[in-house]
Amino acid sequence: MQPKFQAFVGENPKIQKIFEIIQKVAPSDSTVLITGDSGTGKELAARAIHAASNRCNQPLIILNCGAIPAELLESELFGHEKGAFTGAHQTRIGRFERADTGTIFLDEIGDMSPNLQVKLLRVLQEQQFERVGGTKTIHVDIRIISATNIDLKKAMEAGKFREDLYYRLNVIPIHMPPLRERRSDIPLLINHFLHKIHQHSRQAQASSKIFSEETILHMQRYDWPGNIRELENLVERLSVLVENDTIQPADLPEKIRTFQPPVMQDTLTAFHNGEGFNHAVNQFQKQLILHALNQTNWVKAKAAAMLKINRTTLVEKIKKMDLETEQQAFFRTNNPLGLLCADYKQFHQVEQVIDFEGFGQKCIGA
Ligand SMILES: Nc1ncnc2c1ncn2[C@@H]1O[C@H](COP(=O)(O)OP(=O)(O)OP(=O)(O)O)[C@@H](O)[C@H]1O
Ligand SMILES: [Mg+2]
């Protein structure tokens, strides 16, 4: 599906599903609650909903409820009348009034105080409110989208978030998956960000940069706790700092270069991506084998001993599971026999040594 919202990229089935939901819900006035970890694209999703809605030519007002002290938030949302409190020298229009006929995006909704939660519930139910210190009821026509990276169900159980408000906000739930559950989108996102940097900074060299396949492999293996924001910042940093046209694994921060994925991680990712039992089990085998190989510097006899299988069985599995690319990536990064490799390549006039065991008997181009 070609999303209407150009800046929002992703081909992974999980994100495609989100594009579908956004296109379906955008024309309605239903309240949407967007959940997901930090940097997963919650604000981008809210903007996309507004942009694809009938309200797209009306204002989109964004308010981060966590960034404003509780005592100021009420007046920020509802506005206030002159003299409502010390320092209120003039009548002030709040965000709800400014969002009239448009959309309001309430970010970090979980940080809202219980007192304001009651007032927000009334706006949701009746689309009306009074300014702080005012008596006149103001009617508005707004669509409310909210977002949170905390677990509102837990907050509800702990008595910190009202149940009635939760159900009102959560009419259409959208959950933004973490980047580690949609790693297949990483190459696409890298290109998108290179293009974005190029457009914004007119920095000619940014879009001409290329991330080598191995660099991408490393990036796909990493778990991205800061999600897409972390990826975006890294692409920007590398495109500015790396002088060569091709970005290599050595240019990556050490934590990404040396990241060892927990063995179960890719299995669960495959499972959550809708793959069945057999695929998940194969994925698990692959991860276990990779783990043993990485632990033993890809010395197959040692890895086989660790796994308690025959060396020949291991070699067959490496072939069957297509782990040779992983092996090359491992050697390029860790290069335990680097010097030997260089001598060997020079002596045999080969491009690439792909098996160091037995000191490089097997070479591409040999
Ligand atoms: N699918 C995507 N395609 C392109 N850019 C994306 C995508 N998702 C997120 N981004 C970019 O990643 C950055 C973080 O996204 P956003 O601010 O929407 O995340 P968030 O979930 O609201 O984060 P936080 O919880 O920290 O507020 C933004 O610069 C956004 O443009
Ligand atoms: Mg945000």
Side-chain angles (χ1 to χ4, degrees):
M1 183 192 80
Q2 183 64 32
K4 250 192 190 168
F5 8 95
Q6 291 302 323
F8 205 170
V9 303
E11 281 174 356
N12 182 283
K14 284 197 172 188
I15 205 77
Q16 287 288 322
K17 185 95 203 132
I18 288 173
F19 291 153
E20 267 170 41
I21 299 175
I22 289 179
Q23 280 188 329
K24 253 188 219 153
V25 305
S28 78
D29 274 341
S30 302
T31 305
V32 181
L33 175 65
I34 307 170
T35 54
D37 293 345
S38 180
T40 48
K42 297 185 293 297
E43 182 170 332
L44 203 63
R47 287 180 185 275
I49 294 170
H50 177 75
S53 78
N54 304 328
R55 296 170 181 261
C56 61
N57 295 321
Q58 304 303 323
L60 166 68
I61 302 290
I62 297 180
L63 182 70
N64 185 338
C65 304
I68 298 178
E71 59 281 10
L72 295 183
L73 188 58
E74 181 169 2
S75 125
E76 197 59 49
L77 281 172
F78 301 104
H80 61 247
E81 295 294 349
K82 187 176 170 184
F85 47 83
T86 323
H89 302 303
Q90 278 174 343
T91 297
R92 184 158 183 251
I93 289 186
R95 306 268 181 136
F96 277 125
E97 266 179 271
R98 281 172 41 206
D100 193 17
T101 69
T103 307
I104 191 159
F105 173 51
L106 300 174
D107 206 355
E108 310 295 354
I109 190 82
D111 290 343
M112 195 176 263
S113 71
N115 170 36
L116 266 190
Q117 289 178 28
V118 181
K119 295 188 175 171
L120 175 61
L121 184 63
R122 178 164 170 237
V123 180
L124 277 160
Q125 282 169 338
E126 301 167 17
Q127 300 257 319
Q128 61 184 36
F129 59 89
E130 287 87 34
R131 291 186 193 136
V132 176
T135 48
K136 194 177 104 193
T137 300
I138 295 164
H139 297 268
V140 282
D141 163 25
I142 33 182
R143 195 226 193 123
I144 299 185
I145 302 176
S146 51
T148 179
N149 58 14
I150 67 159
D151 187 342
L152 282 187
K153 280 200 181 131
K154 276 199 188 131
M156 240 159 50
E157 280 160 22
K160 289 188 182 143
F161 204 83
R162 291 182 67 98
E163 209 174 324
D164 43 10
L165 178 60
Y166 174 78
Y167 291 113
R168 277 275 170 180
L169 291 173
N170 196 29
V171 177
I172 312 279
I174 295 184
H175 180 68
M176 303 303 295
L179 186 52
R180 64 178 177 277
E181 285 178 17
R182 41 178 295 223
R183 293 164 201 267
S184 56
D185 278 342
I186 288 179
L188 198 69
L189 285 161
I190 292 174
N191 282 336
H192 169 71
F193 293 133
L194 283 176
H195 187 67
K196 193 169 152 188
I197 296 161
H198 180 62
Q199 272 186 331
H200 285 156
S201 66
R202 294 173 209 274
Q203 193 194 341
Q205 72 269 35
S207 73
S208 59
K209 298 258 187 236
I210 295 169
F211 281 64
S212 76
E213 262 178 46
E214 282 152 34
T215 310
I216 294 174
L217 263 179
H218 279 283
M219 293 168 82
Q220 285 183 311
R221 218 178 288 145
Y222 180 58
D223 68 350
W224 300 103
N227 293 296
I228 301 180
R229 182 175 295 109
E230 186 183 1
L231 175 66
E232 183 172 11
N233 292 343
L234 179 70
V235 171
E236 183 173 348
R237 194 160 73 233
L238 293 175
S239 72
V240 172
L241 294 180
V242 175
E243 284 175 3
N244 296 329
D245 286 345
T246 305
I247 294 170
Q248 301 288 1
D251 300 318
L252 293 170
E254 198 183 332
K255 67 173 181 203
I256 299 181
R257 231 179 330 130
T258 56
F259 184 77
Q260 293 276 352
V263 172
M264 270 306 277
Q265 188 174 289
D266 284 5
T267 310
L268 288 175
T269 303
F271 198 63
H272 289 304
N273 277 345
E275 305 285 358
F277 175 78
N278 289 340
H279 184 87
V281 169
N282 285 341
Q283 196 65 32
F284 184 68
Q285 281 202 31
K286 188 173 161 179
Q287 287 309 310
L288 211 53
I289 289 172
L290 270 177
H291 179 73
L293 286 164
N294 287 336
Q295 291 287 308
T296 53
N297 270 341
W298 280 76
V299 176
K300 289 173 201 129
K302 281 192 188 168
M306 190 176 176
L307 291 160
K308 296 198 168 53
I309 57 175
N310 288 332
R311 187 185 175 283
T312 37
T313 314
L314 178 63
V315 172
E316 273 166 23
K317 283 192 185 291
I318 291 176
K319 255 207 188 121
K320 201 169 148 209
M321 292 176 171
D322 210 11
L323 297 180
E324 268 110 356
T325 332
E326 304 274 353
Q327 183 178 15
Q328 287 174 33
F330 178 84
F331 277 109
R332 291 253 175 99
T333 314
N334 299 285
N335 207 6
L337 298 170
L339 267 180
L340 189 88
C341 170
D343 291 347
Y344 187 87
K345 278 201 290 196
Q346 205 178 11
F347 183 72
H348 289 275
Q349 298 282 297
V350 292
E351 280 296 298
Q352 214 176 2
V353 181
I354 62 164
D355 189 351
F356 278 93
E357 204 182 342
F359 306 119
Q361 302 144 337
K362 202 170 121 199
C363 307
I364 293 175

